[in-house]
């Protein structure tokens, strides 16, 4: 099936520009929680153990994962613009309410609802970008969008400094929530859907959930791609959620320094990886239909030695160097998941397919985050959890190299 072409390149890149702050807020609002760990635990007295705090982080992931399938389907079935606006407005309101929570139970519900509301954005946002951008620019466009996610994680890493200041941890959530609500209002006037012909629109509106799922799960390439994004979710979410606490305890750092060291090093590498990985994939794709697969697998291959070295790092400097390498590899991987999916499923199922990928990978990530909390309570060495993460990345490389894809069309 041929893809639609959209010659108005300025509108295509404007869409990426408008969605970049949404991607940033999507991760900023979730990331600041882990970097404010010490302040939250000191203020909310019924959070008594590492495992309890880990369950708050995994509550977000479980909510996000459970909703991702439906969120992706909504992005295919309905107006993607409205799905994006609704998701941004709701999670921003919940972010503001998180700053008002007084008990463990209130925080648990806030984190769960935030996960449910945030899950609708990424599938719809990436599907909208893929609709605007063809084979020549798709990986670069997705890479630029994903750099907004990395900026959100960087800013989230500053949460520890806010928590340590006289403003306190609650102010960080209130500021971020208010910013999201205001940007949703601006986006209402600026964001537009790509043009669609009548036949394509009728086909999209006729999609039903069960036939969509049956078609997706009947594709061998999609099943392999689903497994491919699931295994790297283990190191991804462990690094995002636990790295500040790991650095703080291993090298006796304040939470502000630990949070910034953990996030800035990975994100510095990720920015480089997203730019280079997107450019290289678009170029390689012109020579081989498997070009994006090769670039993505190369990125994950770089993550394997990085994870092993992080777990065995004797000092902060060594840990930071290999966190940068992990970030570069992850950028190669992150820029190409949606573009590879576009070579496996038809355009009308892109958001649903990515939603399923998000669901499975995030649920596995939530389990891994929860498990690490229990491992830390039990006194397990940090090298063990990073070696297991490296093993998961190695398995993913073997899987993606076996995926067969269709040539990408303009």
């Amino acid at each position: 099936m041929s893809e639609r072409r959209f010659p108005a390149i300025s509108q295509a890149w404007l869409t990426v520009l408008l969605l970049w702050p949404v991607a940033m807020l999507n991760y900023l609002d979730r990331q600041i929680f882990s970097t404010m760990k010490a302040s939250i635990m000191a203020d909310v007295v019924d959070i008594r153990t590492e495992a309890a705090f880990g369950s708050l982080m995994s509550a977000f992931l479980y909510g996000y994962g459970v909703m991702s399938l439906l969120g992706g389907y909504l992005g295919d079935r309905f107006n993607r613009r409205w799905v994006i606006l609704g998701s941004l407005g709701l999670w921003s309101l919940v972010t503001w309410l998180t700053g008002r929570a007084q008990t463990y139970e209130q925080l648990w519900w806030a984190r769960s609802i935030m996960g449910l509301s945030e899950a609708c954005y990424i599938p719809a946002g990436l599907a909208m970008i893929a609709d605007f951008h063809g084979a020549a620019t798709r990986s670069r466009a997705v890479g630029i969008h994903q750099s907004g996610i990395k900026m959100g994680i960087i800013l989230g890493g500053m949460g520890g400094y806010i928590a340590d200041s006289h403003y306190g941890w609650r102010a960080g959530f209130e500021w971020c929530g208010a910013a999201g609500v205001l940007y949703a209002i601006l986006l209402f006037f600026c964001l537009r859907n790509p043009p669609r012909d009548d036949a394509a629109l009728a086909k999209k509106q006729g999609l039903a959930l069960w036939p969509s799922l049956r078609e997706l799960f009947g594709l061998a390439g999609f099943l392999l791609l689903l497994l491919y994004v699931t295994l790297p979710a283990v190191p991804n979410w462990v690094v995002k959620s636990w790295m500040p606490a790991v650095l703080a305890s291993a090298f006796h750092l304040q939470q502000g320094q630990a949070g910034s060291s953990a996030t800035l090093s990975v994100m510095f590498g990720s920015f480089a990886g997203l730019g280079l990985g997107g450019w290289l994939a678009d170029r390689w794709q012109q020579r081989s239909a498997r070009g994006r697969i090769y670039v993505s697998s190369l990125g994950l291959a770089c993550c394997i030695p990085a994870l092993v070295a992080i777990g065995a790092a004797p000092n902060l400097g060594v840990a930071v160097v290999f966190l940068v390498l992990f970030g570069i590899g992850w950028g190669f991987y992150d820029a190409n998941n949606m573009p590879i999916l576009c070579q496996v499923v038809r355009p009308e199922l892109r958001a649903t397919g990515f939603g399923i990928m998000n669901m499975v990978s995030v649920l596995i990530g939530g389990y891994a985050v929860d498990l690490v909390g229990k491992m830390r309570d039990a006194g397990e060495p940090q090298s063990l959890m990073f070696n297991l993460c490296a093993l998961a990345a190695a398995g993913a490389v073997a899987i993606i190299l076996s995926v067969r894809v269709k040539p990408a069309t303009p």
Side-chain angles (χ1 to χ4, degrees):
M1 177 178 177
S2 63
E3 297 187 12
R4 297 171 294 277
R5 295 192 180 189
F6 302 104
I9 190 67
S10 59
Q11 183 63 41
W13 288 111
L14 176 61
T15 300
V16 176
L17 178 64
L18 289 171
L19 292 181
W20 191 92
V22 187
M24 180 193 69
L25 288 168
N26 191 269
Y27 270 70
L28 168 60
D29 292 350
R30 69 178 78 172
Q31 185 68 19
I32 57 173
F33 190 81
S34 65
T35 60
M36 295 177 172
K37 173 178 173 287
S39 295
I40 295 173
M41 290 185 71
D43 191 20
V44 184
V45 294
D46 50 349
I47 307 175
R48 297 183 178 89
T49 65
E50 295 281 324
F53 192 82
S55 71
L56 289 175
M57 291 192 290
S58 61
F60 169 87
L61 296 178
Y62 290 139
Y64 189 95
V66 167
M67 187 62 185
S68 287
L69 189 156
L70 181 57
Y73 173 70
L74 292 175
D76 278 332
R77 176 66 176 79
F78 299 104
N79 187 308
R80 284 175 181 155
R81 173 176 175 269
W82 282 112
V83 172
I84 291 168
L85 290 171
S87 178
L88 172 60
L90 180 56
W91 95 59
S92 298
L93 176 61
V94 175
T95 299
W96 184 85
L97 290 172
T98 301
R100 300 302 180 96
Q102 301 296 324
T103 66
Y104 170 87
E105 184 178 55
Q106 290 173 353
L107 279 174
W108 191 91
W109 280 108
R111 296 293 292 173
S112 298
I113 296 172
M114 183 185 291
L116 293 171
S117 53
E118 283 201 5
C120 297
Y121 169 65
I122 292 292
L126 288 180
M128 178 180 280
I129 290 172
D131 284 344
F132 272 111
H133 288 267
T137 60
R138 188 170 288 147
S139 287
R140 276 173 287 171
V142 170
I144 292 171
H145 174 271
Q146 300 301 84
S147 73
I149 290 176
K150 310 311 175 187
M151 181 57 70
I153 297 174
I154 289 175
L155 295 178
M158 302 297 105
Y161 290 110
I162 297 175
D164 287 337
S165 73
H166 69 277
Y167 295 108
W169 69 272
R170 297 181 184 277
F173 286 100
E174 292 170 356
W175 296 343
C176 292
V181 171
L182 292 175
Y183 191 71
I185 295 172
L186 174 64
L187 208 63
F188 172 82
F189 295 102
C190 300
L191 186 65
R192 296 290 179 267
N193 283 307
R196 295 178 181 274
D197 58 57
D198 292 341
L201 182 60
K203 191 172 186 179
K204 176 176 184 286
Q205 291 178 337
L207 291 173
L209 180 58
W210 176 246
S212 299
L213 296 178
R214 186 170 55 193
E215 178 177 339
L216 285 168
F217 283 101
L219 297 172
F222 177 74
L223 294 177
L224 288 172
L225 189 57
L226 183 60
L227 185 57
Y228 174 64
V229 300
T230 299
L231 290 175
V234 175
N236 178 40
W237 286 106
V238 168
V239 169
K240 284 179 181 176
S241 300
W242 280 109
M243 206 65 228
V246 167
L247 294 183
S249 61
F251 306 119
H252 310 291
L253 306 177
Q254 295 293 322
Q255 62 181 348
Q257 184 184 2
S260 60
S261 297
T263 55
L264 289 177
S265 52
V266 174
M267 295 310 110
F268 176 80
S270 293
F271 276 116
L274 285 167
L276 180 59
W279 173 82
L280 182 60
D282 283 338
R283 292 292 300 271
W284 205 332
Q285 191 67 32
Q286 296 175 17
R287 300 182 178 183
S288 169
R290 298 176 60 80
R292 292 192 169 100
I293 285 179
Y294 295 144
V295 173
S296 184
S297 61
L298 176 62
L300 276 190
C302 290
C303 293
I304 297 169
L307 287 164
V308 173
I310 291 167
N315 55 59
L316 180 61
V318 172
V320 165
V321 168
F322 284 100
L323 283 169
V324 172
L325 177 60
F326 175 83
I328 293 172
W330 194 262
F332 275 49
Y333 165 86
D334 208 17
N336 287 290
N337 283 338
M338 174 57 89
I340 293 172
L341 178 66
C342 291
Q343 293 179 253
V344 175
V345 306
R346 59 191 176 94
E348 291 80 12
L349 295 176
R350 287 170 179 168
T352 305
F354 202 88
I356 295 170
M357 290 159 57
N358 250 357
M359 178 188 71
V360 177
S361 64
V362 169
L363 288 176
I364 294 296
Y367 173 77
V369 167
D370 204 13
L371 180 60
V372 167
K374 295 175 182 176
M375 291 174 65
R376 285 172 62 81
D377 279 338
E380 297 287 352
Q382 68 180 35
S383 59
L384 174 61
M385 63 183 181
F386 283 104
N387 288 342
L388 292 174
C389 288
L391 185 62
V397 172
I399 290 168
I400 192 60
L401 292 175
S402 67
V403 173
R404 294 182 179 181
V405 293
K406 298 176 292 185
T409 55

